[in-house]
Structure formats: C-alpha cells, structure tokens
Amino acid sequence: MSNPDHKSKKRRETPEPFEQEACDRSVKPYTGYSDETPVVSDQAALYEISQPSLFEEKIYARPIELESRRYIGNKAKLTDWIISTIASHAQDSHSFCDIFAGTGAVANRAIDIFDHVIINDFLYSNNTIYHAFFGPGNWDCDKLQDIVSNYNRINPKNLDENYFSINFGGKFYEHGLSKLIGFIRQDIENMRPDLSDKEYHILIASLIYSIDRLANTVGHFDAYIKKPIREQALNMRLIDAKSYDYVEIHRCDSNQLARNIEADIVYIDPPYNSRQYCRFYHLYETLVKWDCPRLYGVALKPKPENMSLYCTSKAADAFMDLVSNINARYLAVSYNNTYQSKSKSSENKIRLEEIKKILDMCGETTIYEHSHAAFNAGKTEFENHKEILFITEIDAERKSKSFPTLLCRR
C-alpha cells in the first residue's frame, strides 16, 4: 500500500503497512570474520523454547519514542519552548532547517508546524535514526515485529563470539548481551536484500534505542564503568516510525550544507565545547557503519573522523562562516552558559558576546532565556544554568556589508 498524502495539514499519520513477501529470517553465518573467529553453526539451538508472557508482549509492543535516547546536549525538554518562541517571533514562516540536528528532538517538533523541514547531522548513527523516524518509505510493521520477536527469543549463551562481543563485551556491555547485539546487527545486514530502505533503518535504529540504557556508561562512550556488569536481557522494541514526504534529510558538514539550501528559519545548535560527538558516540557509529574498524585505546575508538571545528579554538571563525553563507529569513541559535563550568572540557569555545556580535552583523537580534537543568553525564556542576535562544531577523543589506569578501546570498 502506498503512503498517504502528506501534503495535507494533518500531521504524523503512520502509513499502512504494505504487502510484501515474507523476508528470509533464517540465521545466516557472518562471513566477515577471520578463519580464527568462530561463527554461528547450530541455528536451531539459538532459540529458547519458552515464549514471552502476554504482559511482556504488551509492554514490549509499545514503540520507542525519539526522545528516549541519552545524548549530550539533548534538547528534548526544551523543544516546546524553543519551537513556540521561534514560531511566535518568526511568523508567516513555512520552512525550517535544523542544521545540527543531534537527536532530532527539535526537528521532530518542527515537523508538526512547518510545511518543509530540513534535518542534518554529520554522524552516521543520527542520520540512520532520522531516516527511521522521519524518512519517506514503506515498511511492513508485522514483518518487523516478527523479526524483533525472534531476536528476543535468542539465548546469547548459544551464540559464538563476534566483532562486537570481542571488542566491547565486558566493557561497554555485558558479555552475553554484546554477543547478541553483534549477532543482530550482522543478521540485519544479511537480510538487507529482503528489506526496504525504511525497514533497514528502522531495525538499526530500534537496536540502538533498545540497547541505549543497557550500556555500562554514564550516557556516552568516551569511557565505560570499570566494575563487573550484571547479566542483562535484551528486550528489543521497534521505534515509533513515521513517514513524511516534506522532510529532507542530509548527512553533511553544516558549513557546506549552508551554501546549498534555503529556508525561512535555520536553527543552529552546534557543539560548543571540546567534546567531539563523533568520539563520544563512536560505538554507535561503528554499529551503524558496521565496517569492523581497528580500535584504539582504553575506550576502543576507531581512527578519528568527522571532527568538528566547533569543538576547537576555531569555533568562532566556523560560526561566522556558517551564518554568513546561510540563505534564510531568520536565524535561531541555541546556546547555554556552560562557559562558567568548572570542567575544562565543558567550557564553551564561543562566548555569548561573540555570538551576539556575529549575529548582529546579519540583522536585528532578540535574546530569550529559559532556566534549564542540562543533561550532565559527568561531575560538572552547572550553577544557574540557562538555555539562551538568539533569534535574528536577516537584513540582507546589513549582512552583505558585514561580509564583503563572502558571497552572501540575498
């Protein structure tokens, strides 16, 4: 069955599942290991005989919401304030771009209001999550639920070691659980010819969300807790997937994307401190790409990639380049006052005064404030923490005079 017409004002309708031949759900051996690495040999022994209770089936049938994930800088509790403030200030706006989308929480709220929404982030894991939650496409809900139910019946004790368990077992995840995670990820890859792109993204995103709170961490993968991990069961659930034909998804460097898009409102929430998101969430990047990279150091990270200038001393220059090349009527910039943090790594690379000065070069800027208890994965103390929202109405003449050496578009 084809998707409904999403051009109507009624939002968030889940498309009917379409009829498709049942996919091959048999367990296939992972062929990417070396000869020394064992693979699954006895498929019949993988599954437990016992079935989940009706109560468990009801609980685990509920889809996982987008905001359920732990993430540094998560704006889930601020989205209503951010979007309502922007919508009130920038009236008669129809298009919205979240150019550093992160978890996608702000874009998720914007989808309810605007006719066209652009979502961008440089991380592979976030991009997969956007395609799963928002991207257009068809999927068979019953088929995916059957696949997930089969995964939940697997006994990890009957699984052989795999890339994920060898590297992350007993560290970031309990060892048996890590075997199951690696097995599921490879099984999804094996099934890819029998899955639509939407189904593929939904399964990977569902795996990420289902294991997020089982990680032996404080909310990111820069380090793991060096204590014994109790045995944990995986109760995998599907995410709350939707499909929108007016959502545009990118995985680009934000400063480059700014040169190639236009929107009435561009929302900007870059990383402001030295914590590189690609390093904090390297495990999810590896899980999504599934390229089995060589890992380094205690935190078992691959070689650096997608490093952000916004986490360095060049942050202010990067921000100026970004705003000077954006083609929009309004700029909305989120900022918080962690520059007073006692932690050096939490200290902002751009000061509030710098942002205000750069935005004033583009037009008239209004500042809004909102008290907020930030998500804190460490011991950093944030006293009198506030979320600050700058909204700048672009003055094309002022902007072109402020950046005479740049090709600022009107």
Side-chain angles (χ1 to χ4, degrees):
M1 183 177 294
S2 61
N3 287 329
D5 181 6
H6 297 295
K7 295 181 180 179
S8 64
K9 288 297 181 181
K10 188 175 181 181
R11 309 288 196 187
R12 296 192 177 279
E13 289 189 350
T14 306
E16 294 284 339
F18 72 109
E19 295 298 326
Q20 181 173 323
E21 293 181 2
C23 65
D24 178 10
R25 301 191 187 96
S26 61
V27 178
K28 304 174 184 178
Y30 177 67
T31 58
Y33 298 125
S34 65
D35 293 339
E36 291 77 21
T37 306
V39 296
V40 174
S41 56
D42 186 2
Q43 298 178 18
L46 294 177
Y47 298 100
E48 298 279 26
I49 297 175
S50 61
Q51 298 289 333
S53 68
L54 291 176
F55 175 76
E56 289 174 326
E57 286 184 345
K58 185 176 181 180
I59 292 295
Y60 298 125
R62 293 189 306 207
I64 304 176
E65 296 181 354
L66 178 81
E67 294 81 7
S68 301
R69 180 182 166 200
R70 296 182 297 176
Y71 199 80
I72 298 294
N74 192 342
K75 293 292 190 293
K77 295 181 179 179
L78 289 166
T79 53
D80 285 344
W81 173 73
I82 290 171
I83 291 297
S84 63
T85 302
I86 292 173
S88 177
H89 189 109
Q91 296 182 14
D92 195 31
S93 294
H94 301 281
S95 55
F96 181 95
C97 173
D98 189 347
I99 206 162
F100 295 91
T103 62
V106 172
N108 188 38
R109 184 69 179 85
I111 287 171
D112 288 332
I113 297 175
F114 300 99
D115 298 320
H116 183 62
V117 176
I118 302 171
I119 309 173
N120 176 65
D121 196 275
F122 215 13
L123 296 190
Y124 288 91
S125 51
N126 287 341
N127 183 260
T128 286
I129 287 168
Y130 306 154
H131 280 285
F133 275 96
F134 311 126
N138 292 313
W139 69 98
D140 186 329
C141 297
D142 292 336
K143 167 180 153 183
L144 296 185
Q145 188 58 60
D146 285 346
I147 293 171
V148 167
S149 296
N150 281 338
Y151 289 153
N152 288 337
R153 294 171 54 220
I154 294 176
N155 183 352
K157 294 179 181 179
N158 296 325
L159 295 174
D160 290 328
E161 300 292 343
N162 54 58
Y163 174 86
F164 198 90
S165 64
I166 291 170
N167 288 290
F168 304 119
K171 303 177 183 75
F172 287 106
Y173 289 93
E174 185 268 328
H175 194 83
L177 176 60
S178 71
K179 288 199 296 180
L180 184 54
I181 293 169
F183 175 85
I184 291 172
R185 180 61 187 90
Q186 182 57 43
D187 194 54
I188 294 171
E189 203 65 28
N190 291 338
M191 287 191 296
R192 188 164 192 176
D194 299 310
L195 300 171
S196 69
D197 286 343
K198 183 73 173 181
E199 289 171 333
Y200 178 75
H201 290 303
I202 290 173
L203 285 174
I204 295 177
S206 297
L207 178 60
I208 289 174
Y209 270 77
S210 295
I211 67 174
D212 187 63
R213 295 185 183 275
L214 298 177
N216 182 41
T217 70
V218 293
H220 56 73
F221 298 96
D222 197 45
Y224 55 86
I225 300 171
K226 296 176 176 62
K227 292 182 180 179
I229 314 172
R230 64 179 177 82
E231 187 173 336
Q232 299 178 68
L234 173 64
N235 293 299
M236 188 172 170
R237 292 157 56 197
L238 292 174
I239 61 158
D240 188 16
K242 301 288 193 299
S243 177
Y244 303 101
D245 60 5
Y246 54 90
V247 171
E248 183 180 330
I249 300 171
H250 295 271
R251 193 196 69 81
C252 299
D253 177 283
S254 296
N255 285 53
Q256 295 304 314
L257 183 64
R259 292 162 163 80
N260 298 296
I261 60 167
E262 61 178 282
D264 290 329
I265 303 164
V266 174
Y267 174 70
I268 304 170
D269 183 26
Y272 284 112
N273 55 47
S274 63
R275 295 186 173 116
Q276 293 278 357
Y277 280 70
C278 62
R279 309 305 279 162
F280 262 41
Y281 299 99
H282 65 90
L283 187 144
Y284 288 157
E285 292 293 276
T286 295
L287 194 63
V288 167
K289 293 168 67 178
W290 204 234
D291 52 354
C292 303
R294 184 176 179 180
L295 305 175
Y296 302 87
V298 177
L300 299 164
K301 299 177 182 180
K303 290 182 179 180
E305 66 173 351
N306 300 333
M307 302 290 278
S308 175
L309 288 176
Y310 291 88
C311 301
T312 72
S313 59
K314 298 180 180 179
D317 292 337
F319 183 77
M320 182 177 292
D321 174 76
L322 176 71
V323 301
S324 67
N325 284 289
I326 287 177
N327 186 8
R329 293 170 53 210
Y330 295 91
L331 300 178
V333 181
S334 274
Y335 186 81
N336 59 63
N337 59 351
T338 57
Y339 58 85
Q340 296 175 339
S341 169
K342 296 178 182 179
S343 168
K344 197 68 177 177
S345 60
S346 296
E347 186 174 328
N348 285 355
K349 297 300 181 182
I350 313 179
R351 300 282 176 167
L352 184 148
E353 295 79 12
E354 291 178 291
I355 290 182
K356 177 67 162 56
K357 181 179 178 180
I358 293 171
L359 290 177
D360 282 343
M361 296 168 71
C362 299
E364 292 299 320
T365 301
T366 304
I367 301 177
Y368 300 89
E369 294 184 357
H370 185 76
S371 296
H372 172 55
F375 170 64
N376 178 16
K379 298 180 179 180
T380 300
E381 296 180 12
F382 297 133
E383 296 180 0
N384 300 317
H385 186 273
K386 291 181 180 179
E387 186 73 17
I388 298 167
L389 184 64
F390 300 87
I391 300 183
T392 302
E393 184 171 2
I394 299 297
D395 183 325
E397 184 177 356
R398 183 193 299 188
K399 184 179 177 184
S400 62
K401 289 180 179 179
S402 298
F403 306 104
T405 63
L406 297 173
L407 296 177
C408 301
R409 296 170 294 176
R410 291 177 182 268

